[in-house]
Amino acid sequence: MSANLINLLIEATGQTLYMVAISAFLGTVFGLPLGTYLAVSQRGELLSAPLVNTVLGLVVNATRSVPFIILVVAIIPFTRLVAGTSIGTTAAIVPLTIAAVPFIARLVENAIREVDSGLIEAARAMGATPLQIIRKVLIPEALPAITLGLTLAVVSLIGYSAMVGAVGGEGLGDLGIRYGYQRFMPEVMAIVVVILIVLVQLVQSLGEWIAARVDKRAPKGRGQ
Amino acid sequence: MTNTMSQAASIAFDAVGKAYTKPGGGTVTALENVSLTVEPGAITGIIGRSGAGKSTLLRMVNGLEMPTSGRVRVGGHDVGASKGSALRAIRRDVGMIFQHFNLLSSRTVAGNIALPLEIAGVSSDKIAPRVAELIDRVGLTEQAGRYPAELSGGQKQRVGIARALATEPKVLLSDEATSALDPETTQTVLSLLKDINRDLGLTILLITHEMAVVRDIASHVAVIDGGQIVEHGRTYDVFTAPQHPTTRSFLSGVTGVKLPAFVEHKLTATRPATGGEEVIRVTFAGKHATDPMLALLTKDLGIEVNILAGAVEEIGTHPFGNLLISLPAARADEARAYLERHELLTEVLGYVS
């Protein structure tokens, strides 16, 4: 394999990591509060607001219904507004983030709804404000599930990032298509797939390791 | 931690009602016209079956549930009329412990006990010594850095108690706090509650479905059934002279005094024309509780008595006995009159021929 090709592979891996890392970070920044609010604004919950909850839920569902490749193209004007251009790796972060936010929000929502309602009651009995309950009870208690959810989101983003080649996003997926498919170099395609497998495996293992570290619910290897 | 009796607050339920609207329309009445004054500084038990409304009643004391009619006052504050920061201030004066402990799995023992202090805005340099003091008080010094998953049920409830005491409340609410514990652990948790009541003088209101819990620590008891208080008073009085059928059925569970099966099968409600035996429950209370009354009955009247089952126990410091006996039906009226003259309570259960 030529040195040129190796450089291309390294560069593409870097681009994929860059796109996934930034969009996962931004997705969490927006998705965590949105998901928390979706959980606590349900009828009868801490900040019950059924109407707002329904509307937000519809928006989230609508965004998640759009196939990613269509989303990429459909929001090009918005991408241009935010990133200054609609082409390139940085521009690709915009649709990736737009796809990540509702996905992460739903994962966070589910994680928070799993928290035992008895803990909320105990905190209310202590005189906690809703914000204190969210910060000191709901998020810390949901953290193991949130961590696993974010791992899932990152793995999905790695997959999505392969599609942003359509708008010049580059990265591993794009390299695989351009060289492996269009230039008839199946070995490039194979290497790209292997790198993606290794990436996903690493992300998954790291996520599970962190989740186990923050999960204090069951004693591990301490008997009983 | 201060130890003045003035810390205690009274709790007053005044014609309290709670009705829920069902999703399909119509209402369910959980509580109806409940009036009860809880003695400040005492331990009061509310006993009832599940669904009787005791949990709703308890949760009105700290405003986790609001009455739909009537008033609940804690230390003079009207809980139902309070909201926002005023309600949160009341809640800091009312500690609560739970059947399933409700500890944060993500925090250590010390972290769980610190939570109400953090919520109350206590500065972190004041939290640490206070937490250490509370951990010491409930005997968990060794476990301070452990997580709830590493603790036994009894230890978890001790954390719950320490947490509930953190903000120096005037009232402690206990929601079936020992129902998930084994009998031995139940005893240690109950004696801890008793100690706390004695040392801190705070008012304890507990709900339970076990008469044994009431017998062991409560000086006062209220029996709730179908959303209403059917009987209340000093525990000793209610135990020795229960008035309501619900109270009686709870008591028969706790005293464990039951007819042997071979007698129970033969029991009839009507007195046989001739011969036969009358089966009687005799409750010993008051000053004759420890007198050998059955021996005296045989000696004075010459009536022979069969003992079928019995037990003597203590409520607070007072002995209290329960005996099931049978004696010749022909002389039963005479025997019961003799026993009642000596301040024992009798109840005819039936006849065997």
Side-chain angles (χ1 to χ4, degrees):
Chain A
M1 196 187 304
S2 70
N4 186 32
L5 208 56
I6 290 173
N7 280 337
L8 273 177
L9 279 166
I10 291 171
E11 197 187 345
T13 306
Q15 287 161 340
T16 294
L17 289 176
Y18 167 69
M19 288 188 291
V20 170
I22 304 287
S23 58
F25 173 75
L26 292 175
T28 307
V29 167
F30 295 108
L32 187 67
L34 177 60
T36 306
Y37 187 72
L38 280 172
V40 299
S41 63
Q42 291 198 334
R43 187 183 299 277
E45 296 297 331
L46 216 49
L47 295 172
S48 176
L51 189 67
V52 183
N53 183 276
T54 307
V55 172
L56 275 179
L58 282 173
V59 173
V60 164
N61 286 345
T63 317
R64 293 195 57 206
S65 313
V66 181
F68 182 66
I69 191 71
I70 294 176
L71 181 79
V72 170
V73 188
I75 64 161
I76 281 176
F78 178 72
T79 304
R80 193 174 291 132
L81 193 73
V82 176
T85 170
S86 62
I87 304 211
T89 311
T90 302
I93 289 171
V94 177
L96 282 172
T97 303
I98 299 289
V101 169
F103 187 44
I104 290 173
R106 283 294 188 210
L107 291 167
V108 169
E109 181 194 358
N110 288 341
I112 284 179
R113 284 170 66 180
E114 289 298 310
V115 174
D116 181 1
S117 60
L119 298 181
I120 302 173
E121 188 180 48
R124 285 176 65 211
M126 288 172 205
T129 62
L131 203 63
Q132 283 175 324
I133 295 176
I134 291 169
R135 278 180 40 233
K136 291 184 179 290
V137 178
L138 292 179
I139 293 185
E141 286 293 306
L143 205 55
I146 290 174
T147 310
L148 289 176
L150 289 179
T151 307
L152 182 63
V154 171
V155 168
S156 300
L157 281 173
I158 292 173
Y160 283 175
S161 74
M163 287 183 238
V164 294
V167 289
E170 302 184 282
L172 284 168
D174 181 47
L175 184 77
I177 292 288
R178 283 193 289 123
Y179 284 73
Y181 179 65
Q182 287 160 355
R183 296 193 191 179
F184 306 104
M185 294 168 77
E187 70 279 13
V188 175
M189 183 78 91
I191 293 168
V192 162
V193 170
V194 169
I195 293 175
L196 286 173
I197 289 172
V198 171
L199 271 184
V200 167
Q201 199 61 57
L202 283 175
V203 167
Q204 188 65 38
S205 301
L206 182 69
E208 281 172 15
W209 181 77
I210 295 172
R213 286 290 301 268
V214 297
D215 191 352
K216 309 294 185 187
R217 281 173 297 188
K220 287 163 222 76
R222 295 190 198 97
Q224 285 189 356
Chain B
M1 209 179 287
T2 50
N3 58 355
T4 52
M5 287 298 288
S6 62
Q7 267 220 334
S10 63
I11 305 167
F13 298 96
D14 184 13
V16 168
K18 176 81 180 181
Y20 297 96
T21 311
K22 281 192 287 192
T27 53
V28 185
T29 307
L31 289 174
E32 209 180 334
N33 199 24
V34 170
S35 292
L36 180 71
T37 304
V38 175
E39 201 80 6
I43 303 182
T44 300
I46 297 176
I47 186 160
R49 297 192 181 84
S50 44
K54 57 188 190 299
S55 187
T56 308
L57 195 61
L58 189 78
R59 280 167 170 68
M60 284 180 177
V61 178
N62 59 1
L64 290 177
E65 301 226 28
M66 291 297 188
T68 44
S69 62
R71 283 206 304 177
V72 181
R73 273 172 300 151
V74 179
H77 298 284
D78 187 340
V79 182
S82 308
K83 48 187 162 190
S85 60
L87 179 58
R88 288 194 287 273
I90 294 175
R91 284 173 174 169
R92 276 169 207 156
D93 271 346
V94 180
M96 187 167 186
I97 55 176
F98 304 86
Q99 179 175 6
H100 298 295
F101 324 120
N102 293 352
L103 302 178
L104 268 66
S105 68
S106 56
R107 284 180 176 234
T108 60
V109 168
N112 268 287
I113 298 171
L115 182 62
L117 297 167
E118 291 173 22
I119 284 170
V122 177
S123 64
S124 52
D125 57 315
K126 288 198 182 122
I127 289 179
R130 174 78 183 135
V131 168
E133 183 189 335
L134 287 158
I135 287 178
D136 198 42
R137 148 123 243 153
V138 297
L140 287 174
T141 318
E142 307 276 300
Q143 286 81 20
R146 300 234 182 127
Y147 288 92
E150 301 167 275
L151 304 178
S152 69
Q155 290 171 329
K156 285 182 199 169
Q157 197 56 286
R158 284 167 181 275
V159 179
I161 291 169
R163 182 176 72 174
L165 295 176
T167 53
E168 300 188 34
K170 299 178 179 70
V171 172
L172 179 64
L173 304 177
S174 165
D175 178 7
E176 300 269 7
T178 57
S179 299
L181 303 175
D182 61 60
E184 204 175 314
T185 313
T186 295
Q187 284 311 313
T188 63
V189 168
L190 290 181
S191 65
L192 176 62
L193 288 177
K194 228 189 224 174
D195 291 349
I196 286 164
N197 170 254
R198 193 193 54 221
D199 298 350
L200 310 180
L202 45 62
T203 310
I204 298 183
L205 181 61
L206 59 90
I207 59 171
T208 182
H209 62 270
E210 292 168 309
M211 215 44 162
V213 170
V214 172
R215 176 196 63 201
D216 292 344
I217 67 166
S219 60
H220 294 72
V221 61
V223 183
I224 189 168
D225 191 30
Q228 290 179 303
I229 303 270
V230 295
E231 187 162 358
H232 70 98
R234 301 187 65 86
T235 306
Y236 192 75
D237 299 339
V238 172
F239 266 64
T240 50
Q243 304 298 316
H244 196 272
T246 306
T247 316
R248 291 216 179 97
S249 94
F250 272 117
L251 282 171
S252 67
V254 65
T255 55
V257 181
K258 283 203 294 194
L259 281 176
F262 76 92
V263 179
E264 202 174 355
H265 290 316
K266 288 194 293 183
L267 208 62
T268 56
T270 50
R271 187 192 287 234
T274 54
E277 300 253 307
E278 183 174 287
V279 180
I280 304 170
R281 176 192 294 275
V282 183
T283 304
F284 296 74
K287 63 179 194 288
H288 292 291
T290 49
D291 290 353
M293 287 313 300
L294 296 184
L296 290 173
L297 177 71
T298 307
K299 196 175 125 206
D300 290 357
L301 301 183
I303 300 174
E304 295 192 344
V305 177
N306 263 324
I307 296 178
L308 302 171
V312 178
E313 43 198 323
E314 274 185 328
I315 301 167
T317 53
H318 306 284
F320 157 62
N322 226 311
L323 272 186
L324 300 180
I325 59 172
S326 73
L327 43 76
R331 304 198 59 191
D333 291 341
E334 203 185 329
R336 273 187 277 112
Y338 177 88
L339 293 171
E340 295 197 354
R341 215 162 43 237
H342 290 86
E343 295 175 26
L344 304 192
L345 301 164
T346 61
E347 182 192 351
V348 181
L349 300 177
Y351 300 88
V352 286
S353 49

